[in-house]
Amino acid sequence: QLKQEGVRFLGYINPFLALEGELYKEASQRGYLVLHSDGGEYHVKITDFPAAILDLSNPEATEWIKEVIKENLLDAGLSGWMADFGEYMPVDAVLHSGEGGETFHNKYPVIWARINRQAVEEAAREDVTFFSRAGYAGTSAHAPLIWAGDQLVNWSRDDGLASVIPAGISLGLSGVGHFHSDIGGYTTVGWIKRSKELFMRWAEHAAFTALMRTHEGNRPDVNHQFDADSQTLEHLASMTRVHVGLKPYIQEAMEQYQQQGLPLMRHPWLHYPEEQHLHDLKYQYLFGRDLLVAPVYKRGAETRRLLLPRDNWVHLWSGDEYTGGWLTVAAPLGQPPVFYRADSPWVELFRQVASL
């Protein structure tokens, strides 16, 4: 019914099995779970409850969970899901294959992504996507999207809004081209609560990534939400129009990733290798070849100091022209610092997006 109304429904899955569930009982009886050295099942605590770990070194277990995905997600009509976790493999685990947990640890999330991808392909569902958190070399061959995990709902450089910018750049250099993060972050602990300004600035960054996706967080009632007031809704709608308006440009950048390995979020040095001083940049990036993005990641900031590589640049919102170097630009809410190359073949599209 939702699909007929133009709404797609997404869900969730992970490779843990809650001990009170029927799937756990079935997997336990079939010997599909990770074990301790004493032969008992290896249970880990997930947030506040214990769970068993599916043994993905066992080919029968991987086929079994694939059928679970087909029946409970695809056959139910979902258009996608979060393929969560994959990083909990204990180093002292005993596995069906005989391989040690220490060496299988990094393989586990790659196999988990592959299982989800195969389920979609075997069901011949081209209208489905999923996004993964954990990964290792080879994950990007299977997972359409990677997201940054459960950031704090604050501005911190170690685990807040500021952290997802270098995270995306680093993943891009590691071969992961399609990256995004929870708009507004996820984790609220103690006094750390999401503010309106943080949510809006995070949305501005997300507009210039592969995907825009909000999250209510682990404590929704104490966090500012997308529909908390009209200003937040209008701002999110504006950023969404920008993101959708860039669709042809983003699709071309995605094709470049498929053909050349260039990620969507690119460190500026990739296109300006002769400018060694660009190596020091952590909080600005090229989005595709022709957009330079410098998100506002500090509380209360109304301007942003950034470095333009030596090229001809146009400020997206004002149309002012620059030729490179350090500058400080105004950055009111709704106009994050974004510049496009003056000789880009997408100039007309960028001008249209700026007026949305």
Side-chain angles (χ1 to χ4, degrees), residues 186-198:
Y186 171 80
T187 305
T188 293
V189 290
W191 67 93
I192 300 175
K193 301 173 184 178
R194 181 194 296 157
S195 68
K196 177 178 178 177
E197 181 190 8
L198 177 79

Side-chain angles (χ1 to χ4, degrees), residues 151-156 159-162 182-188 192-205 223-224 232 235 296-300 333:
Q151 274 67 47
L152 293 171
V153 291
N154 67 5
W155 306 83
S156 63
D159 198 27
L161 169 57
D182 298 332
I183 294 177
Y186 171 80
T187 305
T188 293
I192 300 175
K193 301 173 184 178
R194 181 194 296 157
S195 68
K196 177 178 178 177
E197 181 190 8
L198 177 79
F199 182 91
M200 295 169 77
R201 288 303 193 188
W202 212 310
E204 291 174 0
H205 161 60
N223 285 299
H224 189 83
T232 308
H235 177 272
V296 175
Y297 61 92
K298 293 182 179 180
R299 181 192 293 111
L333 284 167

Side-chain angles (χ1 to χ4, degrees), residues 8 33 48 99 102 117 130 139 158 205 273 289 336:
R8 298 300 184 93
L33 302 174
D48 60 354
E99 185 172 355
E102 187 170 6
R117 181 62 173 263
F130 65 90
T139 296
D158 57 344
H205 161 60
R289 174 64 184 95

